[in-house]
């Protein structure tokens, strides 16, 4: 009955840890990034136009009209989920649920999730190019360069959900996404090349296609980094930062300097 009771070092350590935990304030919780938790809707009418709800029961819509309505809803849903939770955060089931479209209707339109996302990406590129090609107001190289860059960045600013989906998160789709991006960015490079030829003043040596591609990649990457780093980036501010050196690059050397 008089035997001494000894505590092992490990048991004493456990008791100390429990006391310290009890005395310590709770660890602060870091609020999650909004674009990883909240599904923000795209801006209606810019890149996508949400169709009205299809009527229940018998209706006069053709099969093609119904298919196109489902296609638009699914592209919108895929884009919003891609921006919010990333490529691996949602599958066909989640896209269908968010769009309010059945899985059968999904597979009537798209073969798989990637095809749905790439259809949205193609729309994204189409709209950007169309907005850049609107009748120009400037007819000198420097102001026209500022006009083109501003149109690109301002369009992204108008719908940060779509911009974040297709400038940042699309990279998770791997090789097919990179191939599609290269093809799309060359379209922008060719457009800038044609605009240079239209407004250039005085004899200037021709520029290689790689110069135009380099400009497009640089501006795109700056915009993508801003979208990735900041919830509400000021993309328009980038235009003033890059216009001077882009205009200088586009002027290029005179024929004598180019020899």
């Amino acid at each position: 009955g008089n035997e001494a009771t000894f505590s092992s070092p490990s048991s004493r350590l456990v008791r100390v840890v429990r006391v310290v935990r009890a005395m310590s304030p709770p660890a602060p919780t870091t609020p999650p990034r909004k674009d990883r938790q909240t599904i923000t809707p795209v801006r209606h009418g810019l890149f996508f136009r949400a169709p009205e709800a299809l009527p229940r029961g018998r209706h006069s819509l053709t099969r093609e009209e119904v298919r196109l309505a489902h296609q638009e809803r699914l592209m919108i849903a895929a884009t919003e989920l891609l921006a919010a939770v990333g490529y691996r955060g949602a599958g066909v089931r989640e896209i269908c649920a968010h769009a309010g479209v059945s899985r059968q209707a999904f597979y009537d339109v798209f073969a798989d999730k990637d095809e749905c996302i790439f259809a949205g990406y193609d729309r994204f590129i189409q709209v950007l190019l169309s907005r850049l090609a609107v009748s120009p107001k400037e007819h000198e190289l420097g102001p026209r360069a500022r006009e083109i860059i501003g149109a690109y960045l301002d369009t992204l600013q108008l719908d940060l959900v779509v911009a974040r989906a297709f400038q940042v998160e699309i990279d998770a789709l791997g090789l097919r996404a990179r191939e599609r991006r290269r093809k799309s960015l060359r379209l922008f490079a060719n457009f800038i090349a044609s605009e240079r030829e239209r407004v250039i003043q005085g004899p200037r040596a021709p520029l290689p296609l790689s110069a135009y591609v380099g400009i497009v990649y640089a501006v795109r990457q700056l915009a993508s980094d801003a979208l990735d780093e900041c919830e509400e980036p000021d993309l328009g501010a980038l235009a003033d930062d890059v216009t001077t050196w882009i205009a200088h690059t586009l002027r290029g050397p005179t024929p004598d300097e180019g020899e």
Side-chain angles (χ1 to χ4, degrees):
N2 294 325
E3 295 180 0
T5 302
F6 295 96
S7 299
S8 67
S10 61
S11 64
R12 289 198 297 272
L13 178 59
V14 169
R15 288 199 297 273
V16 170
V17 170
R18 287 174 178 169
V19 170
V20 171
R21 284 178 176 173
M23 296 175 63
S24 300
T29 58
T30 302
R33 279 185 58 181
K34 179 181 176 184
D35 64 333
R36 286 291 179 269
Q37 296 294 324
T38 302
I39 300 176
T40 305
V42 303
R43 177 170 177 165
H44 176 72
L46 182 57
F47 292 100
F48 302 101
R49 184 177 296 277
E52 296 181 1
L54 295 175
R56 295 182 178 274
R58 295 178 62 86
H59 54 74
S60 60
L61 296 176
T62 66
R63 180 179 178 83
E64 180 63 12
E65 287 173 329
V66 172
R67 193 190 72 82
L68 289 174
H70 286 160
Q71 176 180 286
E72 193 76 2
R73 287 185 180 281
L74 289 164
M75 287 194 298
I76 291 171
T79 301
E80 291 174 351
L81 288 170
L82 183 62
V85 299
Y87 174 69
R88 292 176 177 82
V92 171
R93 180 177 62 182
E94 289 77 17
I95 292 172
C96 291
H98 189 50
V101 173
S102 70
R103 287 170 67 91
Q104 178 180 342
F106 178 94
Y107 289 111
D108 285 342
V109 180
F110 299 112
D112 53 30
K113 179 177 78 168
D114 286 10
E115 185 175 295
C116 180
I117 292 174
F118 283 135
Y121 178 77
D122 291 345
R123 174 75 64 79
F124 170 68
I125 295 299
Q126 176 189 355
V127 170
L128 281 176
L129 281 169
S130 68
R131 290 178 71 90
L132 265 59
V134 169
S135 298
K137 297 178 181 177
E138 302 292 346
H139 301 281
E140 295 182 4
L141 185 59
R144 180 57 181 145
R146 174 63 175 81
E147 192 175 42
I148 292 172
I149 297 164
Y152 166 69
L153 295 172
D154 289 347
T155 303
L156 297 184
Q157 188 75 55
L158 287 171
D159 196 332
L160 294 176
V161 173
V162 175
R164 190 165 281 117
F166 296 128
Q167 295 253 154
V168 179
E169 300 298 341
I170 190 86
D171 289 351
L173 275 75
L175 176 61
R176 290 176 65 196
R178 295 194 298 274
E179 291 174 342
R180 223 176 191 92
R181 181 175 66 233
R182 283 192 291 271
K183 180 179 178 181
S184 299
L185 296 189
R186 286 191 176 94
L187 294 176
F188 286 97
N190 287 326
F191 171 76
I192 294 173
S194 66
E195 286 298 287
R196 177 186 187 261
E197 294 304 311
R198 188 180 64 81
V199 302
I200 197 74
Q201 295 179 348
R204 291 284 172 174
L207 296 178
L209 180 61
S210 59
Y212 301 106
V213 172
I215 289 171
V216 173
Y217 268 84
V219 176
R220 180 194 182 276
Q221 192 59 49
L222 287 169
S224 297
D225 286 346
L227 287 161
D228 200 25
E229 293 172 352
C230 182
E231 187 67 33
E232 296 287 340
D234 181 7
L235 298 178
L238 290 174
D240 294 329
D241 295 341
V242 303
T243 293
T244 300
W245 68 261
I246 288 177
H248 179 76
T249 301
L250 289 174
R251 286 190 184 93
T254 64
D256 292 339
E257 294 171 334
E259 292 180 354

